[in-house]
Amino acid sequence: MEAQVSKKLTLTQQCQRMVEYEVARIYDFFLRAPRSAQEFMLELQRESHIEYLTNGLNHLGPSFRVLDANRPWICYWILHSIALLGDSVDAELETRAIDFLNRCQDPDGGYGGGPGQLPHLATTYAAVNSLVTLGSHIALSSINRHKLYTFLLKTKQPSGGFRMHDQGEIDVRACYTAISVASILNILDDELVQNVGNYILSCQTFEGGIAGEPGSEAHGGYTFCGLATMILINEVHRLDLRSLVEWVVFRQAGLECGFQGRTNKLVDGCYSFWQGGVCSLLQRLSLDIDEQSVQPDAQEVGSSFDGLSTGAGTSQKVNFNDIGYEFIKKRPSSQPLFNSLALQQYILLCAQVPEGGLRDKPGKPKDYYHTCYCLSGLSLCQYSMSMEDSPPVPRAVTGPYSNLLEPIHPLYNVVFERSIEALDFFRGK
Amino acid sequence: MDSDDRIPLSERPEWSDVTPLPQDDGPNPIVAIAYKEDFAEVMNYFRAVYRADERSPRSLDLTAEAIAMNPGNYTVWHFRRLILEALNVNLHDELNFLDDIAESNTKNYQIWHHRRWVAQKLGTDASRKEIEFTKNILSLDSKNYHAWSHRQWVLQALGGWEDELDYCHELLEEDVFNNSAWNQRYFVITRSPLLGGLKAMRESEVSYTVEAILAHPENESSWRYLRGLYSGDTHSWITAPQVSSVCLKVLSGKRNFVFALSTLMNLLCHGFQPSQELRDAVDALRTPDDSPTDPDLANTVCLILERVDPIRVNYWLWKKSKLPQ
């Protein structure tokens, strides 16, 4: 022990200790607090969050100019958060939102970061998810699906990857945003799917997680994107799922209880969704992972994605547009692979700002991005032991049961009911 | 640029022929940003030249002003590339321009993408500068994801592999918990054309890693790297004496043994046959509260992990439930 203490701590250790100290202080304070104070601390401050969110829809200060090319994202972060909280915007706000997003829609398809900006895959995803969250026929009909399909084809690369925009960067985010949008809009076909699996596969690293580009480091955000993409294109069994599980469960920090994005990095509330989402997707695949574990080193297993296909090894046609539907019918194994109660504790006690909004970690400012992904992660936790269409048991929900959020569709990250309505709507198209 | 001494575009004679084009935000937009006047003006002029597709030196200057105010506007960067191509600008100057804005924007996708575009055009000549540049950024934040991606791209596209393994070593000496440096090390040993690939490097890398593990058994990075060295070769993984012996050493030390146990678990799941010594070392980690010795070592390993690694209790229970009964 003495030898350990006398050694000079590396930068990673120093930063880690500081966060642990800060989080431990909060948990300690919580444990010593009287019961009534504890109850308050664990309560999701719905009204404050709604107020913070609604303010953002109506007014953003001059410092937001650095997000001037991400305005559909701000829409999505806010609208999705409001929907998670079980609330919705009024008719006037909805009309304004549809009108604004329509101005971001490029005449040749896709959505840009603001009116008149080049169409971009990430903002296209944000705009489509925003409109799906609004959910009305007017909102859904405002998307030009045919032009959008043309835009997706233009961004597609022979390598299987996608470019974010004309001459833009190629990475796993681009694949996910393209495939997710195509899936929910019922325009996913063989041409879009061609080689995407090869590209994602080339990004799975020796650690088990998925990187942004081949060779880079395994990372929570890209791992969610890569895994969700592979499920949506019905090729998830080509991934080494066993090493993926092993990597992701170790991303939850023992003391802090939140998730980190990469090995030996600090926890951050937003990974409650990215890594929590990976766990929740894997939970639904867990039966399939077993199959993989009895055949070690099987890289291209022909095992079936039960109920969806008769096997990747056969040439049987799969209807890609059914996958978003069918996936959520798979009952998750009874227990989540991660520690749901611990993660809820981190989100509520460390990431929540009682005055409204959520954040990365104590000491960091709140923002709309973290509010969206902390709440999305919280929802995943609450439903991690049940199906989306039935209410969770009280012990699955940390804090008062009134903390319960709306469930999400884990492949798209939009509120469950809205996702089903949109899938139904576009199925008829 | 300080907004106080900035001359508005409307007062600059060289812009007098341009009519600024306001943003088509509609009468009552949501997520409207309260732009300051200077920002709104620059963007209005930008929209005008972008709409007119005016690929001129003044447009180039204007994109620099717009980028300084919001480096995340990919449309501005895209147009800037079109102008650079049209004007045949010296791209070394462009790299200098990027250097100036890099340090305050190290996590911006657009700047790095633009840098890659410029470096690609410059070709192998740019390799050394780019390697140096990323080194500078990494000296400020040794885990900067974009900097590492760029560096890997430079190595693969333009070369410069010579000192890369030494560089990884240097960073690991400084901070052996730096997972990005371990990842880069893996990248080098598997992809450098100067080395013989994973198999050829394995023996020396295993020794290097075992040493790192023994110095810090609580360091997940080195354990994962060790596993990576046997990627796609299960037989060697479960039969390598160095692997089981490092597990044994750490387990016998009875401290910081979670990764040793989880590695052992991984080995067992792949068909590894444990020695009696290893069984005894695991047995010694049991507490009186643990259930009696299980003939199946994997069961005992899971049992201990459930206790010493409680955050992952569900995972260890799940693993245990999947063991052949």
Side-chain angles (χ1 to χ4, degrees):
Chain A
M1 198 65 194
E2 296 80 54
Q4 195 70 17
V5 173
S6 64
K7 266 187 212 162
K8 189 176 172 294
L9 295 180
T10 73
L11 187 60
T12 299
Q13 289 174 304
Q14 287 170 31
C15 298
Q16 177 61 27
R17 300 270 167 108
M18 271 158 65
V19 172
E20 284 179 2
Y21 175 79
E22 196 56 39
V23 171
R25 218 172 49 91
I26 291 171
Y27 290 163
D28 194 48
F29 178 76
F30 172 77
L31 288 173
R32 287 162 193 268
R35 207 184 158 82
S36 59
Q38 287 188 342
E39 277 167 11
F40 175 78
M41 287 170 79
L42 285 177
E43 195 179 318
L44 187 66
Q45 300 302 317
R46 287 174 177 270
E47 278 170 27
S48 316
H49 299 320
I50 291 279
E51 192 187 332
Y52 167 63
L53 293 161
T54 313
N55 282 346
L57 281 182
N58 287 308
H59 177 86
L60 298 167
S63 65
F64 276 84
R65 74 176 187 201
V66 295
L67 290 176
D68 190 43
N70 296 281
R71 288 172 67 197
W73 272 119
I74 306 177
C75 279
Y76 167 64
W77 297 330
I78 295 180
L79 292 173
H80 180 48
S81 299
I82 291 175
L84 280 166
L85 288 160
D87 212 331
S88 56
V89 297
D90 61 30
E92 187 240 335
L93 259 172
E94 169 158 354
T95 309
R96 286 167 54 198
I98 297 168
D99 179 70
F100 170 72
L101 291 169
N102 217 15
R103 287 166 199 272
C104 298
Q105 189 165 211
D106 190 87
D108 292 327
Y111 292 79
Q117 296 181 25
L118 273 178
H120 188 289
L121 280 176
T123 44
T124 297
Y125 168 85
V128 167
N129 274 4
S130 299
L131 292 161
V132 168
T133 301
L134 290 171
S136 65
H137 278 215
I138 304 173
L140 299 177
S141 314
S142 73
I143 304 166
N144 189 333
R145 293 162 66 243
H146 296 288
K147 288 278 171 64
L148 181 47
Y149 178 76
T150 322
F151 169 61
L152 295 180
L153 276 187
K154 274 190 273 188
T155 55
K156 186 159 175 68
Q157 301 301 300
S159 70
F162 283 82
R163 279 193 191 279
M164 275 299 184
H165 57 87
D166 183 14
Q167 293 187 44
E169 64 273 22
I170 304 170
D171 61 27
V172 171
R173 268 179 327 149
C175 295
Y176 170 66
T177 48
I179 297 293
S180 170
V181 160
S183 168
I184 208 161
L185 296 179
N186 192 20
I187 51 173
L188 190 57
D189 64 6
D190 287 330
E191 204 172 347
L192 284 175
V193 167
Q194 181 87 37
N195 281 334
V196 173
N198 292 342
Y199 182 78
I200 304 287
L201 213 55
S202 71
C203 295
Q204 184 169 27
T205 87
F206 67 91
E207 289 192 76
I210 298 171
E213 293 178 76
S216 291
E217 188 181 356
H219 179 289
Y222 296 116
T223 303
F224 174 82
C225 290
L227 178 63
T229 303
M230 289 302 258
I231 293 171
L232 288 168
I233 64 171
N234 198 37
E235 293 183 32
V236 73
H237 285 284
R238 297 181 64 197
L239 288 168
D240 181 350
L241 293 176
R242 200 150 56 141
S243 72
L244 179 49
V245 176
E246 233 177 273
W247 174 79
V248 76
V249 294
F250 272 96
R251 304 284 59 77
Q252 191 168 16
L255 191 146
E256 308 92 297
C257 301
F259 273 108
Q260 61 186 185
R262 304 180 243 164
T263 307
N264 281 333
K265 289 268 288 177
L266 303 174
V267 288
D268 177 338
C270 75
Y271 294 113
S272 307
F273 174 73
W274 301 119
Q275 306 283 31
V278 170
C279 290
S280 135
L281 295 176
L282 287 171
Q283 198 186 341
R284 279 208 154 81
L285 295 170
S286 65
L287 287 172
D288 310 343
I289 298 169
D290 298 344
E291 282 174 34
Q292 214 178 24
S293 32
V294 294
Q295 357 179 346
D297 284 348
Q299 280 297 311
E300 300 204 27
V301 204
S303 66
S304 69
F305 188 36
D306 45 19
L308 284 184
S309 74
T310 55
T314 71
S315 57
Q316 200 80 18
K317 279 291 270 186
V318 177
N319 187 353
F320 295 118
N321 300 297
D322 289 341
I323 294 179
Y325 255 123
E326 299 297 330
F327 185 74
I328 41 159
K329 290 190 189 155
K330 293 162 77 77
R331 180 165 284 281
S333 49
S334 56
Q335 291 290 323
L337 291 163
F338 66 109
N339 196 324
S340 161
L341 297 179
L343 181 58
Q344 293 183 61
Q345 178 181 308
Y346 179 80
I347 297 170
L348 293 167
L349 296 180
C350 298
Q352 176 171 230
V353 180
E355 296 74 31
L358 290 95
R359 61 189 174 184
D360 163 351
K361 61 171 72 62
K364 296 271 182 173
K366 65 188 174 191
D367 59 47
Y368 295 113
Y369 166 82
H370 283 92
T371 302
C372 167
Y373 288 105
C374 286
L375 290 178
S376 304
L378 185 59
S379 166
L380 282 178
C381 289
Q382 294 171 339
Y383 292 87
S384 61
M385 283 179 252
S386 52
M387 299 284 277
E388 284 83 358
D389 51 8
S390 56
V393 293
R395 68 183 160 83
V397 179
T398 301
Y401 198 71
S402 60
N403 276 1
L404 189 65
L405 297 170
E406 292 297 310
I408 58 167
H409 191 304
L411 288 168
Y412 308 117
N413 196 17
V414 289
V415 161
F416 184 72
E417 230 182 293
R418 294 289 101 75
S419 74
I420 298 301
E421 285 165 10
L423 286 167
D424 283 341
F425 180 87
F426 293 115
R427 234 185 201 193
K429 299 282 162 179
Chain B
M1 185 184 304
D2 197 38
S3 47
D4 291 340
D5 40 313
R6 180 180 172 277
I7 301 166
L9 289 152
S10 59
E11 291 170 23
R12 298 184 210 172
E14 70 271 28
W15 286 101
S16 59
D17 61 314
V18 174
T19 309
L21 184 61
Q23 179 161 266
D24 177 25
D25 237 7
N28 204 0
I30 61 160
V31 294
I33 299 171
Y35 303 122
K36 284 198 174 155
E37 222 169 288
D38 56 348
F39 180 78
E41 192 199 34
V42 166
M43 293 315 294
N44 291 347
Y45 277 82
F46 169 77
R47 271 183 286 271
V49 294
Y50 179 62
R51 166 77 64 86
D53 197 14
E54 183 195 305
R55 304 181 193 186
S56 65
R58 70 175 179 184
S59 295
L60 186 66
D61 292 342
L62 186 62
T63 59
E65 281 195 52
I67 284 164
M69 291 175 167
N70 173 18
N73 192 320
Y74 58 91
T75 306
V76 175
W77 284 105
H78 178 258
F79 189 49
R80 184 173 176 90
R81 284 189 281 277
L82 296 180
I83 302 170
L84 290 169
E85 276 178 332
L87 301 182
N88 213 359
V89 172
N90 179 346
L91 291 177
H92 289 285
D93 295 340
E94 188 64 4
L95 274 191
N96 294 334
F97 164 72
L98 290 172
D99 285 349
D100 292 341
I101 53 173
E103 281 194 18
S104 44
N105 295 286
T106 57
K107 293 190 174 169
N108 170 300
Y109 278 95
Q110 284 70 37
I111 293 185
W112 288 103
H113 179 61
H114 192 73
R115 194 157 187 117
R116 200 181 283 200
W117 180 84
V118 174
Q120 179 151 42
K121 294 218 171 252
L122 289 172
T124 47
D125 290 353
S127 161
R128 183 184 295 205
K129 178 169 162 58
E130 291 311 284
I131 297 274
E132 266 315 297
F133 174 77
T134 49
K135 189 176 174 177
N136 284 339
I137 299 294
L138 292 169
S139 71
L140 305 171
D141 171 11
S142 61
K143 301 175 182 178
N144 182 303
Y145 205 83
H146 297 283
W148 281 116
S149 292
H150 186 69
R151 191 173 176 101
Q152 294 190 342
W153 174 82
V154 171
L155 289 168
Q156 288 185 308
L158 313 175
W161 292 93
E162 296 74 18
D163 303 321
E164 200 59 13
L165 199 57
D166 291 340
Y167 179 58
C168 295
H169 176 63
E170 221 175 274
L171 288 183
L172 290 174
E173 285 276 280
E174 207 171 285
D175 185 350
V176 73
F177 293 85
N178 181 350
N179 196 60
S180 304
W182 284 104
N183 186 74
Q184 184 70 356
R185 191 172 182 100
Y186 197 80
F187 176 79
V188 176
I189 64 154
T190 52
R191 300 188 193 219
S192 167
L194 310 178
L195 304 170
L198 180 57
K199 268 207 166 139
M201 296 298 291
R202 189 181 284 155
E203 202 181 313
S204 56
E205 286 302 291
V206 169
S207 307
Y208 183 88
T209 312
V210 164
E211 200 178 311
I213 289 175
L214 293 175
H216 290 282
E218 75 280 22
N219 184 3
E220 185 181 348
S221 296
S222 45
W223 287 100
R224 290 209 176 274
Y225 186 79
L226 182 69
R227 177 70 185 95
L229 292 174
Y230 294 91
S231 176
D233 187 355
T234 307
H235 179 72
S236 302
W237 169 238
I238 60 171
T239 52
Q242 299 96 318
V243 175
S244 50
S245 93
V246 72
C247 288
L248 178 63
K249 276 185 194 159
V250 173
L251 293 173
S252 307
K254 294 190 175 183
R255 288 184 51 250
N256 296 327
F257 54 77
V258 167
F259 294 115
L261 274 185
S262 69
T263 301
L264 178 56
M265 188 63 198
N266 181 298
L267 287 166
L268 292 167
C269 288
H270 283 98
F272 166 72
Q273 298 297 321
S275 65
Q276 190 55 47
E277 229 184 335
L278 205 47
R279 287 177 180 278
D280 294 342
V282 172
D283 226 34
L285 297 172
R286 297 183 334 115
T287 64
D289 294 340
D290 290 338
S291 48
T293 313
D294 196 300
D296 184 4
L297 184 63
N299 251 321
T300 312
V301 170
C302 280
L303 206 75
I304 300 171
L305 281 165
E306 285 160 32
R307 175 169 48 79
V308 299
D309 189 29
I311 193 91
R312 271 166 283 283
V313 64
N314 282 355
Y315 174 67
W316 298 122
L317 286 167
W318 178 73
K319 278 299 251 194
K320 197 166 67 181
S321 75
K322 299 303 168 201
L323 293 171
Q325 293 307 317

